[in-house]
Each structure stands twice: as structure tokens, then as C-alpha cells.
Amino acid sequence: MNTKIKNIKMYLESNNVNPTYHRIVIFQYMENSTRHPTAEQIYTDIKKEIPTISKTTVYNTLNSFVKNGIAEKLNIADSEVHYDIPDNGHDHFLCINCGKIYDIKPEYSKSNIEIKSIQGHKITQLHCYYKGICKSCRNDKK
Amino acid sequence: MNTKIKNIKMYLESNNVNPTYHRIVIFQYMENSTRHPTAEQIYTDIKKEIPTISKTTVYNTLNSFVKNGIAEKLNIADSEVHYDIPDNGHDHFLCINCGKIYDIKPEYSKSNIEIKSIQGHKITQLHCYYKGICKSCRNDKK
DNA sequence: TTTAAGGTTGTAATGAATACAAAAATAAAA
DNA sequence: TTTTATTTTTGTATTCATTACAACCTTAAA
């Protein structure tokens, strides 16, 4: 077993996620992905490597990741939830033309919470979603 | 017809929404509501006033409002979309305990876009969602 | 008083996500 | 090594929000 997988194992363990084969593969897939995949996309791609995997396992795994704080749900699109492995708190941009999601560099991000409480409500999370036309789609129209 | 309804009629008209009875009632309901209702909640409540209304009409109406910029979708909760009549751009807070959505006062809001473009992407919208434990739930636990 | 256009209704269909029970795998105990 | 217990995984069925669609109704124009 290579060091990368060993690192993932340790990382999952240290976050209360029992590092089974499926979970390691899914986490590795998400770490390598830049497209903020949906459960469906993860399922389809992982299936190439593990043909017997079930969609339920993907959902279970993602829910376990989210519950233990090592993955984040992005409610940026209307119909589907996208998933992200947050490195250092950054915002996201959704292209309303092509549907692609981009990372916004931390220096432009607004979701670094410094406030702990607003109007008496205890703040634990802040999600900021930008929307518009992405660079690529803007160029295509010219 | 009272002035309030007349005003709504004019407002819908000026935003390219043909002001039918159903649409006026739904818009009025949303303006008076502080709970950022879902389509289901709107349907249930409006049904008391217009028993023959269909759920499709509620969805059609809301989609028409959103398309014409007089209502906004809140993708703040996991399963359902909530709707808001945005007055002056403010953020929202979701209590992860009771599910209630609160308005964040504009002075604490982050979604006033001043930037028109980030990393080459043209920005047209910014949605910021705070989450945590609301004032009321915090008091209940004591 | 027809014709056309838009609005509404109800039912059917879609599709993401969950529930659940059986089977499989893994770990712990004897 | 066997037995038992616990956790995972699988597959199917179900739920539920939302949309599709065709029939019907309403309104306004011709």
C-alpha cells in the first residue's frame, strides 16, 4: 500500500471514519477531483474501478464524511447537491450557463467567519455562493 | 379593490408578470410572510383562501416570479427550496435545530456585490447563508 | 361569437435521496 | 479454529420535491 492511501487511512481514522476500501477510494476520488461532483457522478466514476459498488454506499459514505466534517455539501445548484473536500475555507462560483462549479480563491472569499454570533443567533457555518457566467463561457460567446 | 392590491397589480405588471388573481394572492402572501415559505407551505396556506388552487399553479407562479426577478430561491436547506421576496439585499440564517430561517440585517450581510468579476468569471449573484443555533433554541436549552 | 392566447388544473412522470432488510465482511470472543 | 457480534455493503422499495403534459377554463381580441 502506497503512502498516499496510508495517509488517507490515517486521516479518515483520525476523523472517526472507519477506513474501509470503498471509503478510501471515494475520498481519494474526491481529493483528486476539481469538479465538486454530485453523488451520481461519484457513483458513475467509482463504478469503473469498483463495478459492484452501490449507490447507497456512495450516499452513506458521503453522509458519513459530512457528519464528521471532512466533506461539505454545496447547495449551490437547484436540483442536486454537490460535494467538496474543503481545504481552507473558500467560496464557490456556479456558471449558470454550463453548470460548472469553480473554486474562488480564499482572498476573494467571504465565508471566513470571524463573527460568532449575529442578532443572538450562534453562527457555526457560512456558505457563500457566487453565480454568473464563467470565463470559459464568456469567451465562447465572442 | 384596496390600494395594497392595486399596488401589487402595478408592481407585477411593471415586472412582466400578468397580474392574475392567483398571482396577486400568492405575492401578497409572500410579502406578508416572514418565514420564507416553501412551495408546499404556500400551497397549504393559500388553499385556505382559494380551495381550488393547484400545486402546479404555485410552482408556475413562483418560477415566474423568480424568472422576472421579484422573488428569490433560497437553497439554504437540504431538501426543499425556500422563497423570499428580497427587499434590500440581505443574507439569511438557518437554524439547524428548528429549521427556521431568519433575515440577517443588511449591515451584517455579505451579499452586497460590489465586485463584477472574479478570476475571469462574470458575477451576477451572490448568496450567503449563515447556519447555526438560533436565539430561541439557545434559550430553550438553558 | 369565433379565434387565439394565456392561465389553471389534475394526474403522471422524473429523479435525488432515504429506508430497510438481507447478505457479506470484518472483528472479537470462546 | 469455530462461534458470535458488529459493522458494511448491497439492492430494492419508498418517499418526496419538482416538472411535464394534456385537458379545461378564462379573458381579450378579431
PDB file of all heavy atoms in Angstrom, chain B residues 99-119:
ATOM      1  N   GLY B  99     -34.943  24.591  12.164  1.00  0.00           N
ATOM      2  CA  GLY B  99     -35.223  24.735  10.738  1.00  0.00           C
ATOM      3  C   GLY B  99     -35.738  26.098  10.327  1.00  0.00           C
ATOM      4  O   GLY B  99     -36.001  26.329   9.151  1.00  0.00           O
ATOM      5  N   LYS B 100     -35.902  26.986  11.278  1.00  0.00           N
ATOM      6  CA  LYS B 100     -36.434  28.311  10.959  1.00  0.00           C
ATOM      7  C   LYS B 100     -35.376  29.148  10.243  1.00  0.00           C
ATOM      8  O   LYS B 100     -34.181  28.999  10.487  1.00  0.00           O
ATOM      9  CB  LYS B 100     -36.866  29.001  12.251  1.00  0.00           C
ATOM     10  CG  LYS B 100     -37.963  30.024  12.063  1.00  0.00           C
ATOM     11  CD  LYS B 100     -38.342  30.675  13.393  1.00  0.00           C
ATOM     12  CE  LYS B 100     -39.349  29.841  14.171  1.00  0.00           C
ATOM     13  NZ  LYS B 100     -39.712  30.457  15.456  1.00  0.00           N
ATOM     14  N   ILE B 101     -35.834  29.998   9.347  1.00  0.00           N
ATOM     15  CA  ILE B 101     -34.935  30.887   8.614  1.00  0.00           C
ATOM     16  C   ILE B 101     -35.177  32.322   9.061  1.00  0.00           C
ATOM     17  O   ILE B 101     -36.317  32.776   9.126  1.00  0.00           O
ATOM     18  CB  ILE B 101     -35.167  30.763   7.097  1.00  0.00           C
ATOM     19  CG1 ILE B 101     -34.824  29.349   6.623  1.00  0.00           C
ATOM     20  CG2 ILE B 101     -34.336  31.793   6.339  1.00  0.00           C
ATOM     21  CD1 ILE B 101     -35.181  29.084   5.178  1.00  0.00           C
ATOM     22  N   TYR B 102     -34.099  33.013   9.369  1.00  0.00           N
ATOM     23  CA  TYR B 102     -34.197  34.399   9.819  1.00  0.00           C
ATOM     24  C   TYR B 102     -33.497  35.309   8.812  1.00  0.00           C
ATOM     25  O   TYR B 102     -32.533  34.911   8.163  1.00  0.00           O
ATOM     26  CB  TYR B 102     -33.499  34.571  11.170  1.00  0.00           C
ATOM     27  CG  TYR B 102     -34.118  33.816  12.319  1.00  0.00           C
ATOM     28  CD1 TYR B 102     -33.810  32.478  12.549  1.00  0.00           C
ATOM     29  CD2 TYR B 102     -34.989  34.452  13.203  1.00  0.00           C
ATOM     30  CE1 TYR B 102     -34.367  31.776  13.613  1.00  0.00           C
ATOM     31  CE2 TYR B 102     -35.539  33.764  14.276  1.00  0.00           C
ATOM     32  CZ  TYR B 102     -35.220  32.426  14.468  1.00  0.00           C
ATOM     33  OH  TYR B 102     -35.764  31.748  15.536  1.00  0.00           O
ATOM     34  N   ASP B 103     -33.976  36.548   8.730  1.00  0.00           N
ATOM     35  CA  ASP B 103     -33.267  37.562   7.947  1.00  0.00           C
ATOM     36  C   ASP B 103     -32.089  38.095   8.751  1.00  0.00           C
ATOM     37  O   ASP B 103     -32.199  38.307   9.958  1.00  0.00           O
ATOM     38  CB  ASP B 103     -34.203  38.744   7.632  1.00  0.00           C
ATOM     39  CG  ASP B 103     -35.248  38.367   6.603  1.00  0.00           C
ATOM     40  OD1 ASP B 103     -34.955  37.481   5.781  1.00  0.00           O
ATOM     41  OD2 ASP B 103     -36.335  38.954   6.621  1.00  0.00           O
ATOM     42  N   ILE B 104     -30.980  38.283   8.054  1.00  0.00           N
ATOM     43  CA  ILE B 104     -29.834  38.955   8.663  1.00  0.00           C
ATOM     44  C   ILE B 104     -29.882  40.418   8.248  1.00  0.00           C
ATOM     45  O   ILE B 104     -30.061  40.712   7.065  1.00  0.00           O
ATOM     46  CB  ILE B 104     -28.516  38.305   8.209  1.00  0.00           C
ATOM     47  CG1 ILE B 104     -28.416  36.866   8.694  1.00  0.00           C
ATOM     48  CG2 ILE B 104     -27.316  39.121   8.685  1.00  0.00           C
ATOM     49  CD1 ILE B 104     -28.255  36.693  10.177  1.00  0.00           C
ATOM     50  N   LYS B 105     -29.754  41.305   9.209  1.00  0.00           N
ATOM     51  CA  LYS B 105     -29.833  42.733   8.894  1.00  0.00           C
ATOM     52  C   LYS B 105     -28.762  43.112   7.879  1.00  0.00           C
ATOM     53  O   LYS B 105     -27.631  42.608   7.933  1.00  0.00           O
ATOM     54  CB  LYS B 105     -29.652  43.571  10.160  1.00  0.00           C
ATOM     55  CG  LYS B 105     -30.789  43.399  11.165  1.00  0.00           C
ATOM     56  CD  LYS B 105     -30.859  44.598  12.109  1.00  0.00           C
ATOM     57  CE  LYS B 105     -31.939  44.405  13.183  1.00  0.00           C
ATOM     58  NZ  LYS B 105     -31.396  44.038  14.481  1.00  0.00           N
ATOM     59  N   PRO B 106     -29.131  43.999   6.946  1.00  0.00           N
ATOM     60  CA  PRO B 106     -28.206  44.361   5.854  1.00  0.00           C
ATOM     61  C   PRO B 106     -26.812  44.751   6.330  1.00  0.00           C
ATOM     62  O   PRO B 106     -25.822  44.443   5.650  1.00  0.00           O
ATOM     63  CB  PRO B 106     -28.915  45.555   5.194  1.00  0.00           C
ATOM     64  CG  PRO B 106     -30.354  45.333   5.454  1.00  0.00           C
ATOM     65  CD  PRO B 106     -30.441  44.669   6.803  1.00  0.00           C
ATOM     66  N   GLU B 107     -26.702  45.369   7.494  1.00  0.00           N
ATOM     67  CA  GLU B 107     -25.373  45.793   7.946  1.00  0.00           C
ATOM     68  C   GLU B 107     -24.470  44.609   8.267  1.00  0.00           C
ATOM     69  O   GLU B 107     -23.242  44.745   8.277  1.00  0.00           O
ATOM     70  CB  GLU B 107     -25.470  46.746   9.148  1.00  0.00           C
ATOM     71  CG  GLU B 107     -26.256  46.212  10.317  1.00  0.00           C
ATOM     72  CD  GLU B 107     -27.689  46.727  10.320  1.00  0.00           C
ATOM     73  OE1 GLU B 107     -28.267  46.826   9.215  1.00  0.00           O
ATOM     74  OE2 GLU B 107     -28.206  47.023  11.413  1.00  0.00           O
ATOM     75  N   TYR B 108     -25.044  43.441   8.520  1.00  0.00           N
ATOM     76  CA  TYR B 108     -24.232  42.248   8.762  1.00  0.00           C
ATOM     77  C   TYR B 108     -24.154  41.355   7.519  1.00  0.00           C
ATOM     78  O   TYR B 108     -23.551  40.294   7.548  1.00  0.00           O
ATOM     79  CB  TYR B 108     -24.793  41.434   9.923  1.00  0.00           C
ATOM     80  CG  TYR B 108     -24.696  42.129  11.249  1.00  0.00           C
ATOM     81  CD1 TYR B 108     -25.840  42.583  11.899  1.00  0.00           C
ATOM     82  CD2 TYR B 108     -23.456  42.335  11.852  1.00  0.00           C
ATOM     83  CE1 TYR B 108     -25.751  43.223  13.119  1.00  0.00           C
ATOM     84  CE2 TYR B 108     -23.362  42.982  13.071  1.00  0.00           C
ATOM     85  CZ  TYR B 108     -24.518  43.426  13.699  1.00  0.00           C
ATOM     86  OH  TYR B 108     -24.431  44.063  14.898  1.00  0.00           O
ATOM     87  N   SER B 109     -24.800  41.771   6.452  1.00  0.00           N
ATOM     88  CA  SER B 109     -24.870  40.922   5.274  1.00  0.00           C
ATOM     89  C   SER B 109     -23.600  41.035   4.441  1.00  0.00           C
ATOM     90  O   SER B 109     -22.968  42.084   4.388  1.00  0.00           O
ATOM     91  CB  SER B 109     -26.087  41.294   4.428  1.00  0.00           C
ATOM     92  OG  SER B 109     -27.270  40.950   5.117  1.00  0.00           O
ATOM     93  N   LYS B 110     -23.289  39.928   3.797  1.00  0.00           N
ATOM     94  CA  LYS B 110     -22.069  39.872   2.986  1.00  0.00           C
ATOM     95  C   LYS B 110     -22.387  39.870   1.505  1.00  0.00           C
ATOM     96  O   LYS B 110     -21.485  39.937   0.673  1.00  0.00           O
ATOM     97  CB  LYS B 110     -21.293  38.599   3.318  1.00  0.00           C
ATOM     98  CG  LYS B 110     -20.866  38.528   4.777  1.00  0.00           C
ATOM     99  CD  LYS B 110     -19.645  37.642   4.919  1.00  0.00           C
ATOM    100  CE  LYS B 110     -19.002  37.798   6.288  1.00  0.00           C
ATOM    101  NZ  LYS B 110     -17.586  37.422   6.259  1.00  0.00           N
ATOM    102  N   SER B 111     -23.676  39.772   1.178  1.00  0.00           N
ATOM    103  CA  SER B 111     -24.015  39.525  -0.214  1.00  0.00           C
ATOM    104  C   SER B 111     -24.281  40.793  -1.019  1.00  0.00           C
ATOM    105  O   SER B 111     -24.941  40.746  -2.047  1.00  0.00           O
ATOM    106  CB  SER B 111     -25.220  38.592  -0.304  1.00  0.00           C
ATOM    107  OG  SER B 111     -26.323  39.166   0.340  1.00  0.00           O
ATOM    108  N   ASN B 112     -23.811  41.919  -0.562  1.00  0.00           N
ATOM    109  CA  ASN B 112     -23.897  43.123  -1.381  1.00  0.00           C
ATOM    110  C   ASN B 112     -22.715  43.088  -2.348  1.00  0.00           C
ATOM    111  O   ASN B 112     -21.594  43.394  -1.974  1.00  0.00           O
ATOM    112  CB  ASN B 112     -23.806  44.375  -0.521  1.00  0.00           C
ATOM    113  CG  ASN B 112     -24.553  44.204   0.781  1.00  0.00           C
ATOM    114  OD1 ASN B 112     -25.725  43.858   0.776  1.00  0.00           O
ATOM    115  ND2 ASN B 112     -23.870  44.396   1.899  1.00  0.00           N
ATOM    116  N   ILE B 113     -23.004  42.723  -3.572  1.00  0.00           N
ATOM    117  CA  ILE B 113     -21.903  42.557  -4.523  1.00  0.00           C
ATOM    118  C   ILE B 113     -21.381  43.911  -4.960  1.00  0.00           C
ATOM    119  O   ILE B 113     -22.147  44.744  -5.432  1.00  0.00           O
ATOM    120  CB  ILE B 113     -22.346  41.820  -5.794  1.00  0.00           C
ATOM    121  CG1 ILE B 113     -23.262  40.655  -5.445  1.00  0.00           C
ATOM    122  CG2 ILE B 113     -21.139  41.314  -6.557  1.00  0.00           C
ATOM    123  CD1 ILE B 113     -23.679  39.878  -6.658  1.00  0.00           C
ATOM    124  N   GLU B 114     -20.125  44.102  -4.775  1.00  0.00           N
ATOM    125  CA  GLU B 114     -19.504  45.285  -5.365  1.00  0.00           C
ATOM    126  C   GLU B 114     -18.592  44.836  -6.509  1.00  0.00           C
ATOM    127  O   GLU B 114     -18.365  45.546  -7.464  1.00  0.00           O
ATOM    128  CB  GLU B 114     -18.741  46.096  -4.312  1.00  0.00           C
ATOM    129  CG  GLU B 114     -17.493  45.449  -3.762  1.00  0.00           C
ATOM    130  CD  GLU B 114     -17.795  44.313  -2.777  1.00  0.00           C
ATOM    131  OE1 GLU B 114     -18.989  44.061  -2.463  1.00  0.00           O
ATOM    132  OE2 GLU B 114     -16.839  43.651  -2.338  1.00  0.00           O
ATOM    133  N   ILE B 115     -18.130  43.566  -6.396  1.00  0.00           N
ATOM    134  CA  ILE B 115     -17.246  43.049  -7.428  1.00  0.00           C
ATOM    135  C   ILE B 115     -18.054  42.534  -8.608  1.00  0.00           C
ATOM    136  O   ILE B 115     -19.037  41.829  -8.436  1.00  0.00           O
ATOM    137  CB  ILE B 115     -16.365  41.916  -6.863  1.00  0.00           C
ATOM    138  CG1 ILE B 115     -15.617  42.414  -5.625  1.00  0.00           C
ATOM    139  CG2 ILE B 115     -15.383  41.424  -7.917  1.00  0.00           C
ATOM    140  CD1 ILE B 115     -14.966  41.299  -4.847  1.00  0.00           C
ATOM    141  N   LYS B 116     -17.627  42.901  -9.808  1.00  0.00           N
ATOM    142  CA  LYS B 116     -18.365  42.492 -11.010  1.00  0.00           C
ATOM    143  C   LYS B 116     -17.762  41.237 -11.638  1.00  0.00           C
ATOM    144  O   LYS B 116     -18.400  40.561 -12.417  1.00  0.00           O
ATOM    145  CB  LYS B 116     -18.322  43.629 -12.043  1.00  0.00           C
ATOM    146  CG  LYS B 116     -19.041  44.883 -11.590  1.00  0.00           C
ATOM    147  CD  LYS B 116     -20.532  44.788 -11.918  1.00  0.00           C
ATOM    148  CE  LYS B 116     -21.282  46.017 -11.396  1.00  0.00           C
ATOM    149  NZ  LYS B 116     -21.348  46.038  -9.911  1.00  0.00           N
ATOM    150  N   SER B 117     -16.511  40.961 -11.262  1.00  0.00           N
ATOM    151  CA  SER B 117     -15.833  39.852 -11.917  1.00  0.00           C
ATOM    152  C   SER B 117     -14.742  39.312 -10.989  1.00  0.00           C
ATOM    153  O   SER B 117     -14.033  40.073 -10.333  1.00  0.00           O
ATOM    154  CB  SER B 117     -15.236  40.354 -13.232  1.00  0.00           C
ATOM    155  OG  SER B 117     -14.329  39.415 -13.737  1.00  0.00           O
ATOM    156  N   ILE B 118     -14.646  37.975 -10.916  1.00  0.00           N
ATOM    157  CA  ILE B 118     -13.606  37.331 -10.126  1.00  0.00           C
ATOM    158  C   ILE B 118     -12.994  36.218 -10.950  1.00  0.00           C
ATOM    159  O   ILE B 118     -13.714  35.377 -11.482  1.00  0.00           O
ATOM    160  CB  ILE B 118     -14.166  36.742  -8.807  1.00  0.00           C
ATOM    161  CG1 ILE B 118     -14.700  37.853  -7.900  1.00  0.00           C
ATOM    162  CG2 ILE B 118     -13.093  35.950  -8.059  1.00  0.00           C
ATOM    163  CD1 ILE B 118     -15.249  37.337  -6.586  1.00  0.00           C
ATOM    164  N   GLN B 119     -11.679  36.220 -11.032  1.00  0.00           N
ATOM    165  CA  GLN B 119     -10.964  35.170 -11.752  1.00  0.00           C
ATOM    166  C   GLN B 119     -11.496  34.975 -13.181  1.00  0.00           C
ATOM    167  O   GLN B 119     -11.544  33.840 -13.676  1.00  0.00           O
ATOM    168  CB  GLN B 119     -11.022  33.859 -10.957  1.00  0.00           C
ATOM    169  CG  GLN B 119     -10.250  33.926  -9.639  1.00  0.00           C
ATOM    170  CD  GLN B 119     -10.592  32.798  -8.668  1.00  0.00           C
ATOM    171  OE1 GLN B 119     -10.537  32.980  -7.464  1.00  0.00           O
ATOM    172  NE2 GLN B 119     -10.926  31.646  -9.190  1.00  0.00           N
TER     173      GLN B 119
END
